[in-house]
Structure formats: C-alpha cells, structure tokens
Amino acid sequence: MTGLPWWADAIAGLVLAVLALWALLAVGLLVVRRRTGRGSLRGAVRLLPDVLRLVRRLAADRALSRRVRALLVVLLGYLAMPFDVVPDVIPVLGWADDVVVVVLVLRAVVRSAGPDVVRRHWPGTDDGLAVLRLLVRW
C-alpha cells in the first residue's frame, strides 16, 4: 500500500498506463517509419489521443454488438483500476501489461467488428493507422 487514497492510486495507474501505451505506439510508429519511410515523431505524440478517441468512438457506436462495446468499457475500467496483474511500480513490465491488454482488446474488436469499422472511426493520420494496424495485426 502506498499510503495514498484509492482514487489517487487509480489516477496514477491510469496516467502510467497512458504513458506506456504512448511509448508502445511511438515505437510502433518508428518501426513503420523505418519499414515504409513514412511517419514522424510528431505523429507519435499525436497517436495516443487518437487511440483514446478511437476507443471512445467505438464504445459509442450503436451499430457494434453489445459484447464489443462492453469489452471497450471493460478496457477503460481496467486502465483506471489502481491494481494490475503486474504492479505499475515495476519499471517497464508494470506498464507493459496495460499495453498488452489494450492491444488484445483492439485485436478482438477488429476480429469481431472488422477492420473497416476501425478505419471509419479512426480520427488520426494514415501513418497512425498504419502503426495501429502493425500492433493489432489485421
């Protein structure tokens, strides 16, 4: 126990999860840039808000099944939890489980709803979508 109130632990866990997700997406963007010659670090900075907007848009899309929307809501709840499978105090590994959960949920969404739904809701650039496609592997 850190001695902080539960809500402070929840906020700290969410902030760390967002930072870990951003780092993974930045690495993915660099890999895509290296493979395709496209992409930039500025794009990596913009990618995390795009992924968060994507999750919000997908969760609000009434055309998607309840199961898919519920999965996205559970993802947001998991990221907000003050505890994880691997505690966030463990450098790199503590944040990696959050990133893995995000990628697995997005992969399940793509398999269930199809990549066209993700493309339709994607708010970012084509380079950002290429990174997401690389991570989710559709």
mmCIF file with all atom_site columns, all heavy atoms in Angstrom, residues 46-47 49-55 57 118-125:
data_model
loop_
_atom_site.group_PDB
_atom_site.id
_atom_site.type_symbol
_atom_site.label_atom_id
_atom_site.label_alt_id
_atom_site.label_comp_id
_atom_site.label_asym_id
_atom_site.label_entity_id
_atom_site.label_seq_id
_atom_site.pdbx_PDB_ins_code
_atom_site.Cartn_x
_atom_site.Cartn_y
_atom_site.Cartn_z
_atom_site.occupancy
_atom_site.B_iso_or_equiv
_atom_site.pdbx_formal_charge
_atom_site.auth_seq_id
_atom_site.auth_comp_id
_atom_site.auth_asym_id
_atom_site.auth_atom_id
_atom_site.pdbx_PDB_model_num
ATOM 1   N N   . ARG A 1 46  ? 0.941   12.506 -31.425 1.00 0.00 ? 46  ARG A N   1
ATOM 2   C CA  . ARG A 1 46  ? -0.480  12.634 -31.727 1.00 0.00 ? 46  ARG A CA  1
ATOM 3   C C   . ARG A 1 46  ? -1.208  11.291 -31.697 1.00 0.00 ? 46  ARG A C   1
ATOM 4   O O   . ARG A 1 46  ? -2.424  11.263 -31.675 1.00 0.00 ? 46  ARG A O   1
ATOM 5   C CB  . ARG A 1 46  ? -0.652  13.267 -33.100 1.00 0.00 ? 46  ARG A CB  1
ATOM 6   C CG  . ARG A 1 46  ? -0.206  14.715 -33.128 1.00 0.00 ? 46  ARG A CG  1
ATOM 7   C CD  . ARG A 1 46  ? -0.488  15.359 -34.444 1.00 0.00 ? 46  ARG A CD  1
ATOM 8   N NE  . ARG A 1 46  ? -1.896  15.176 -34.775 1.00 0.00 ? 46  ARG A NE  1
ATOM 9   C CZ  . ARG A 1 46  ? -2.366  15.283 -35.997 1.00 0.00 ? 46  ARG A CZ  1
ATOM 10  N NH1 . ARG A 1 46  ? -1.572  15.537 -36.997 1.00 0.00 ? 46  ARG A NH1 1
ATOM 11  N NH2 . ARG A 1 46  ? -3.652  15.101 -36.236 1.00 0.00 ? 46  ARG A NH2 1
ATOM 12  N N   . LEU A 1 47  ? -0.505  10.190 -31.700 1.00 0.00 ? 47  LEU A N   1
ATOM 13  C CA  . LEU A 1 47  ? -1.131  8.883  -31.820 1.00 0.00 ? 47  LEU A CA  1
ATOM 14  C C   . LEU A 1 47  ? -1.934  8.486  -30.590 1.00 0.00 ? 47  LEU A C   1
ATOM 15  O O   . LEU A 1 47  ? -3.030  7.924  -30.719 1.00 0.00 ? 47  LEU A O   1
ATOM 16  C CB  . LEU A 1 47  ? -0.062  7.833  -32.118 1.00 0.00 ? 47  LEU A CB  1
ATOM 17  C CG  . LEU A 1 47  ? -0.556  6.511  -32.657 1.00 0.00 ? 47  LEU A CG  1
ATOM 18  C CD1 . LEU A 1 47  ? -1.345  6.708  -33.935 1.00 0.00 ? 47  LEU A CD1 1
ATOM 19  C CD2 . LEU A 1 47  ? 0.621   5.604  -32.925 1.00 0.00 ? 47  LEU A CD2 1
ATOM 20  N N   . PRO A 1 49  ? -3.661  10.256 -28.258 1.00 0.00 ? 49  PRO A N   1
ATOM 21  C CA  . PRO A 1 49  ? -5.022  10.811 -28.212 1.00 0.00 ? 49  PRO A CA  1
ATOM 22  C C   . PRO A 1 49  ? -5.926  10.211 -29.286 1.00 0.00 ? 49  PRO A C   1
ATOM 23  O O   . PRO A 1 49  ? -7.127  10.025 -29.057 1.00 0.00 ? 49  PRO A O   1
ATOM 24  C CB  . PRO A 1 49  ? -4.814  12.310 -28.448 1.00 0.00 ? 49  PRO A CB  1
ATOM 25  C CG  . PRO A 1 49  ? -3.403  12.569 -28.084 1.00 0.00 ? 49  PRO A CG  1
ATOM 26  C CD  . PRO A 1 49  ? -2.660  11.295 -28.381 1.00 0.00 ? 49  PRO A CD  1
ATOM 27  N N   . ASP A 1 50  ? -5.352  9.877  -30.435 1.00 0.00 ? 50  ASP A N   1
ATOM 28  C CA  . ASP A 1 50  ? -6.143  9.251  -31.499 1.00 0.00 ? 50  ASP A CA  1
ATOM 29  C C   . ASP A 1 50  ? -6.654  7.887  -31.066 1.00 0.00 ? 50  ASP A C   1
ATOM 30  O O   . ASP A 1 50  ? -7.801  7.528  -31.341 1.00 0.00 ? 50  ASP A O   1
ATOM 31  C CB  . ASP A 1 50  ? -5.315  9.123  -32.783 1.00 0.00 ? 50  ASP A CB  1
ATOM 32  C CG  . ASP A 1 50  ? -5.033  10.460 -33.430 1.00 0.00 ? 50  ASP A CG  1
ATOM 33  O OD1 . ASP A 1 50  ? -5.753  11.441 -33.126 1.00 0.00 ? 50  ASP A OD1 1
ATOM 34  O OD2 . ASP A 1 50  ? -4.088  10.540 -34.240 1.00 0.00 ? 50  ASP A OD2 1
ATOM 35  N N   . VAL A 1 51  ? -5.808  7.104  -30.399 1.00 0.00 ? 51  VAL A N   1
ATOM 36  C CA  . VAL A 1 51  ? -6.232  5.782  -29.930 1.00 0.00 ? 51  VAL A CA  1
ATOM 37  C C   . VAL A 1 51  ? -7.316  5.922  -28.863 1.00 0.00 ? 51  VAL A C   1
ATOM 38  O O   . VAL A 1 51  ? -8.314  5.186  -28.874 1.00 0.00 ? 51  VAL A O   1
ATOM 39  C CB  . VAL A 1 51  ? -5.036  4.970  -29.395 1.00 0.00 ? 51  VAL A CB  1
ATOM 40  C CG1 . VAL A 1 51  ? -5.497  3.714  -28.679 1.00 0.00 ? 51  VAL A CG1 1
ATOM 41  C CG2 . VAL A 1 51  ? -4.096  4.615  -30.533 1.00 0.00 ? 51  VAL A CG2 1
ATOM 42  N N   . LEU A 1 52  ? -7.171  6.879  -27.971 1.00 0.00 ? 52  LEU A N   1
ATOM 43  C CA  . LEU A 1 52  ? -8.185  7.090  -26.943 1.00 0.00 ? 52  LEU A CA  1
ATOM 44  C C   . LEU A 1 52  ? -9.504  7.541  -27.562 1.00 0.00 ? 52  LEU A C   1
ATOM 45  O O   . LEU A 1 52  ? -10.579 7.091  -27.152 1.00 0.00 ? 52  LEU A O   1
ATOM 46  C CB  . LEU A 1 52  ? -7.694  8.093  -25.905 1.00 0.00 ? 52  LEU A CB  1
ATOM 47  C CG  . LEU A 1 52  ? -6.504  7.624  -25.073 1.00 0.00 ? 52  LEU A CG  1
ATOM 48  C CD1 . LEU A 1 52  ? -6.032  8.728  -24.151 1.00 0.00 ? 52  LEU A CD1 1
ATOM 49  C CD2 . LEU A 1 52  ? -6.838  6.369  -24.302 1.00 0.00 ? 52  LEU A CD2 1
ATOM 50  N N   . ARG A 1 53  ? -9.447  8.434  -28.552 1.00 0.00 ? 53  ARG A N   1
ATOM 51  C CA  . ARG A 1 53  ? -10.668 8.850  -29.261 1.00 0.00 ? 53  ARG A CA  1
ATOM 52  C C   . ARG A 1 53  ? -11.283 7.670  -30.013 1.00 0.00 ? 53  ARG A C   1
ATOM 53  O O   . ARG A 1 53  ? -12.502 7.539  -30.077 1.00 0.00 ? 53  ARG A O   1
ATOM 54  C CB  . ARG A 1 53  ? -10.376 10.008 -30.221 1.00 0.00 ? 53  ARG A CB  1
ATOM 55  C CG  . ARG A 1 53  ? -10.321 11.353 -29.530 1.00 0.00 ? 53  ARG A CG  1
ATOM 56  C CD  . ARG A 1 53  ? -10.355 12.491 -30.531 1.00 0.00 ? 53  ARG A CD  1
ATOM 57  N NE  . ARG A 1 53  ? -9.251  12.449 -31.473 1.00 0.00 ? 53  ARG A NE  1
ATOM 58  C CZ  . ARG A 1 53  ? -8.110  13.099 -31.329 1.00 0.00 ? 53  ARG A CZ  1
ATOM 59  N NH1 . ARG A 1 53  ? -7.909  13.850 -30.272 1.00 0.00 ? 53  ARG A NH1 1
ATOM 60  N NH2 . ARG A 1 53  ? -7.162  13.006 -32.241 1.00 0.00 ? 53  ARG A NH2 1
ATOM 61  N N   . LEU A 1 54  ? -10.435 6.825  -30.584 1.00 0.00 ? 54  LEU A N   1
ATOM 62  C CA  . LEU A 1 54  ? -10.925 5.642  -31.291 1.00 0.00 ? 54  LEU A CA  1
ATOM 63  C C   . LEU A 1 54  ? -11.709 4.739  -30.345 1.00 0.00 ? 54  LEU A C   1
ATOM 64  O O   . LEU A 1 54  ? -12.816 4.298  -30.674 1.00 0.00 ? 54  LEU A O   1
ATOM 65  C CB  . LEU A 1 54  ? -9.755  4.865  -31.907 1.00 0.00 ? 54  LEU A CB  1
ATOM 66  C CG  . LEU A 1 54  ? -10.109 3.507  -32.501 1.00 0.00 ? 54  LEU A CG  1
ATOM 67  C CD1 . LEU A 1 54  ? -10.961 3.670  -33.754 1.00 0.00 ? 54  LEU A CD1 1
ATOM 68  C CD2 . LEU A 1 54  ? -8.842  2.726  -32.813 1.00 0.00 ? 54  LEU A CD2 1
ATOM 69  N N   . VAL A 1 55  ? -11.150 4.458  -29.178 1.00 0.00 ? 55  VAL A N   1
ATOM 70  C CA  . VAL A 1 55  ? -11.829 3.598  -28.211 1.00 0.00 ? 55  VAL A CA  1
ATOM 71  C C   . VAL A 1 55  ? -13.165 4.220  -27.793 1.00 0.00 ? 55  VAL A C   1
ATOM 72  O O   . VAL A 1 55  ? -14.186 3.538  -27.721 1.00 0.00 ? 55  VAL A O   1
ATOM 73  C CB  . VAL A 1 55  ? -10.926 3.325  -26.988 1.00 0.00 ? 55  VAL A CB  1
ATOM 74  C CG1 . VAL A 1 55  ? -11.690 2.627  -25.878 1.00 0.00 ? 55  VAL A CG1 1
ATOM 75  C CG2 . VAL A 1 55  ? -9.718  2.503  -27.405 1.00 0.00 ? 55  VAL A CG2 1
ATOM 76  N N   . ARG A 1 57  ? -15.024 6.368  -29.519 1.00 0.00 ? 57  ARG A N   1
ATOM 77  C CA  . ARG A 1 57  ? -15.953 6.317  -30.660 1.00 0.00 ? 57  ARG A CA  1
ATOM 78  C C   . ARG A 1 57  ? -16.491 4.904  -30.876 1.00 0.00 ? 57  ARG A C   1
ATOM 79  O O   . ARG A 1 57  ? -17.667 4.723  -31.167 1.00 0.00 ? 57  ARG A O   1
ATOM 80  C CB  . ARG A 1 57  ? -15.255 6.793  -31.929 1.00 0.00 ? 57  ARG A CB  1
ATOM 81  C CG  . ARG A 1 57  ? -15.016 8.278  -31.950 1.00 0.00 ? 57  ARG A CG  1
ATOM 82  C CD  . ARG A 1 57  ? -14.277 8.663  -33.209 1.00 0.00 ? 57  ARG A CD  1
ATOM 83  N NE  . ARG A 1 57  ? -14.042 10.096 -33.251 1.00 0.00 ? 57  ARG A NE  1
ATOM 84  C CZ  . ARG A 1 57  ? -13.477 10.715 -34.268 1.00 0.00 ? 57  ARG A CZ  1
ATOM 85  N NH1 . ARG A 1 57  ? -13.077 10.025 -35.327 1.00 0.00 ? 57  ARG A NH1 1
ATOM 86  N NH2 . ARG A 1 57  ? -13.302 12.017 -34.240 1.00 0.00 ? 57  ARG A NH2 1
ATOM 87  N N   . VAL A 1 118 ? -12.884 0.083  -37.644 1.00 0.00 ? 118 VAL A N   1
ATOM 88  C CA  . VAL A 1 118 ? -11.780 0.833  -37.045 1.00 0.00 ? 118 VAL A CA  1
ATOM 89  C C   . VAL A 1 118 ? -11.344 1.943  -37.993 1.00 0.00 ? 118 VAL A C   1
ATOM 90  O O   . VAL A 1 118 ? -11.122 3.080  -37.569 1.00 0.00 ? 118 VAL A O   1
ATOM 91  C CB  . VAL A 1 118 ? -10.604 -0.101 -36.695 1.00 0.00 ? 118 VAL A CB  1
ATOM 92  C CG1 . VAL A 1 118 ? -9.415  0.690  -36.186 1.00 0.00 ? 118 VAL A CG1 1
ATOM 93  C CG2 . VAL A 1 118 ? -11.045 -1.127 -35.664 1.00 0.00 ? 118 VAL A CG2 1
ATOM 94  N N   . ARG A 1 119 ? -11.229 1.646  -39.281 1.00 0.00 ? 119 ARG A N   1
ATOM 95  C CA  . ARG A 1 119 ? -10.862 2.682  -40.257 1.00 0.00 ? 119 ARG A CA  1
ATOM 96  C C   . ARG A 1 119 ? -11.871 3.824  -40.255 1.00 0.00 ? 119 ARG A C   1
ATOM 97  O O   . ARG A 1 119 ? -11.503 4.984  -40.338 1.00 0.00 ? 119 ARG A O   1
ATOM 98  C CB  . ARG A 1 119 ? -10.773 2.084  -41.662 1.00 0.00 ? 119 ARG A CB  1
ATOM 99  C CG  . ARG A 1 119 ? -9.496  1.386  -41.950 1.00 0.00 ? 119 ARG A CG  1
ATOM 100 C CD  . ARG A 1 119 ? -9.392  1.028  -43.438 1.00 0.00 ? 119 ARG A CD  1
ATOM 101 N NE  . ARG A 1 119 ? -8.564  -0.137 -43.587 1.00 0.00 ? 119 ARG A NE  1
ATOM 102 C CZ  . ARG A 1 119 ? -9.000  -1.369 -43.808 1.00 0.00 ? 119 ARG A CZ  1
ATOM 103 N NH1 . ARG A 1 119 ? -10.290 -1.606 -43.952 1.00 0.00 ? 119 ARG A NH1 1
ATOM 104 N NH2 . ARG A 1 119 ? -8.167  -2.364 -43.913 1.00 0.00 ? 119 ARG A NH2 1
ATOM 105 N N   . ARG A 1 120 ? -13.149 3.478  -40.174 1.00 0.00 ? 120 ARG A N   1
ATOM 106 C CA  . ARG A 1 120 ? -14.198 4.502  -40.215 1.00 0.00 ? 120 ARG A CA  1
ATOM 107 C C   . ARG A 1 120 ? -14.127 5.422  -38.991 1.00 0.00 ? 120 ARG A C   1
ATOM 108 O O   . ARG A 1 120 ? -14.367 6.621  -39.095 1.00 0.00 ? 120 ARG A O   1
ATOM 109 C CB  . ARG A 1 120 ? -15.561 3.819  -40.292 1.00 0.00 ? 120 ARG A CB  1
ATOM 110 C CG  . ARG A 1 120 ? -16.713 4.796  -40.440 1.00 0.00 ? 120 ARG A CG  1
ATOM 111 C CD  . ARG A 1 120 ? -18.038 4.107  -40.599 1.00 0.00 ? 120 ARG A CD  1
ATOM 112 N NE  . ARG A 1 120 ? -18.339 3.337  -39.397 1.00 0.00 ? 120 ARG A NE  1
ATOM 113 C CZ  . ARG A 1 120 ? -18.832 2.107  -39.409 1.00 0.00 ? 120 ARG A CZ  1
ATOM 114 N NH1 . ARG A 1 120 ? -19.069 1.487  -40.536 1.00 0.00 ? 120 ARG A NH1 1
ATOM 115 N NH2 . ARG A 1 120 ? -19.082 1.474  -38.282 1.00 0.00 ? 120 ARG A NH2 1
ATOM 116 N N   . HIS A 1 121 ? -13.791 4.853  -37.846 1.00 0.00 ? 121 HIS A N   1
ATOM 117 C CA  . HIS A 1 121 ? -13.753 5.648  -36.613 1.00 0.00 ? 121 HIS A CA  1
ATOM 118 C C   . HIS A 1 121 ? -12.376 6.257  -36.329 1.00 0.00 ? 121 HIS A C   1
ATOM 119 O O   . HIS A 1 121 ? -12.248 7.049  -35.398 1.00 0.00 ? 121 HIS A O   1
ATOM 120 C CB  . HIS A 1 121 ? -14.180 4.791  -35.419 1.00 0.00 ? 121 HIS A CB  1
ATOM 121 C CG  . HIS A 1 121 ? -15.635 4.485  -35.390 1.00 0.00 ? 121 HIS A CG  1
ATOM 122 N ND1 . HIS A 1 121 ? -16.589 5.430  -35.136 1.00 0.00 ? 121 HIS A ND1 1
ATOM 123 C CD2 . HIS A 1 121 ? -16.307 3.327  -35.618 1.00 0.00 ? 121 HIS A CD2 1
ATOM 124 C CE1 . HIS A 1 121 ? -17.785 4.879  -35.187 1.00 0.00 ? 121 HIS A CE1 1
ATOM 125 N NE2 . HIS A 1 121 ? -17.635 3.597  -35.483 1.00 0.00 ? 121 HIS A NE2 1
ATOM 126 N N   . TRP A 1 122 ? -11.363 5.878  -37.073 1.00 0.00 ? 122 TRP A N   1
ATOM 127 C CA  . TRP A 1 122 ? -10.005 6.361  -36.796 1.00 0.00 ? 122 TRP A CA  1
ATOM 128 C C   . TRP A 1 122 ? -9.947  7.869  -37.006 1.00 0.00 ? 122 TRP A C   1
ATOM 129 O O   . TRP A 1 122 ? -10.194 8.362  -38.101 1.00 0.00 ? 122 TRP A O   1
ATOM 130 C CB  . TRP A 1 122 ? -8.989  5.659  -37.693 1.00 0.00 ? 122 TRP A CB  1
ATOM 131 C CG  . TRP A 1 122 ? -7.601  6.139  -37.454 1.00 0.00 ? 122 TRP A CG  1
ATOM 132 C CD1 . TRP A 1 122 ? -6.834  6.877  -38.301 1.00 0.00 ? 122 TRP A CD1 1
ATOM 133 C CD2 . TRP A 1 122 ? -6.812  5.936  -36.279 1.00 0.00 ? 122 TRP A CD2 1
ATOM 134 N NE1 . TRP A 1 122 ? -5.620  7.130  -37.732 1.00 0.00 ? 122 TRP A NE1 1
ATOM 135 C CE2 . TRP A 1 122 ? -5.581  6.581  -36.490 1.00 0.00 ? 122 TRP A CE2 1
ATOM 136 C CE3 . TRP A 1 122 ? -7.036  5.288  -35.072 1.00 0.00 ? 122 TRP A CE3 1
ATOM 137 C CZ2 . TRP A 1 122 ? -4.564  6.581  -35.538 1.00 0.00 ? 122 TRP A CZ2 1
ATOM 138 C CZ3 . TRP A 1 122 ? -6.031  5.289  -34.124 1.00 0.00 ? 122 TRP A CZ3 1
ATOM 139 C CH2 . TRP A 1 122 ? -4.818  5.919  -34.362 1.00 0.00 ? 122 TRP A CH2 1
ATOM 140 N N   . PRO A 1 123 ? -9.574  8.626  -35.957 1.00 0.00 ? 123 PRO A N   1
ATOM 141 C CA  . PRO A 1 123 ? -9.555  10.077 -36.068 1.00 0.00 ? 123 PRO A CA  1
ATOM 142 C C   . PRO A 1 123 ? -8.209  10.654 -36.513 1.00 0.00 ? 123 PRO A C   1
ATOM 143 O O   . PRO A 1 123 ? -8.098  11.851 -36.735 1.00 0.00 ? 123 PRO A O   1
ATOM 144 C CB  . PRO A 1 123 ? -9.867  10.531 -34.636 1.00 0.00 ? 123 PRO A CB  1
ATOM 145 C CG  . PRO A 1 123 ? -9.231  9.453  -33.794 1.00 0.00 ? 123 PRO A CG  1
ATOM 146 C CD  . PRO A 1 123 ? -9.409  8.172  -34.588 1.00 0.00 ? 123 PRO A CD  1
ATOM 147 N N   . GLY A 1 124 ? -7.206  9.804  -36.647 1.00 0.00 ? 124 GLY A N   1
ATOM 148 C CA  . GLY A 1 124 ? -5.849  10.299 -36.882 1.00 0.00 ? 124 GLY A CA  1
ATOM 149 C C   . GLY A 1 124 ? -5.403  10.193 -38.321 1.00 0.00 ? 124 GLY A C   1
ATOM 150 O O   . GLY A 1 124 ? -6.195  10.054 -39.253 1.00 0.00 ? 124 GLY A O   1
ATOM 151 N N   . THR A 1 125 ? -4.093  10.223 -38.465 1.00 0.00 ? 125 THR A N   1
ATOM 152 C CA  . THR A 1 125 ? -3.471  10.218 -39.785 1.00 0.00 ? 125 THR A CA  1
ATOM 153 C C   . THR A 1 125 ? -3.355  8.795  -40.322 1.00 0.00 ? 125 THR A C   1
ATOM 154 O O   . THR A 1 125 ? -3.525  7.823  -39.593 1.00 0.00 ? 125 THR A O   1
ATOM 155 C CB  . THR A 1 125 ? -2.054  10.816 -39.702 1.00 0.00 ? 125 THR A CB  1
ATOM 156 O OG1 . THR A 1 125 ? -1.257  9.960  -38.865 1.00 0.00 ? 125 THR A OG1 1
ATOM 157 C CG2 . THR A 1 125 ? -2.072  12.230 -39.132 1.00 0.00 ? 125 THR A CG2 1
#
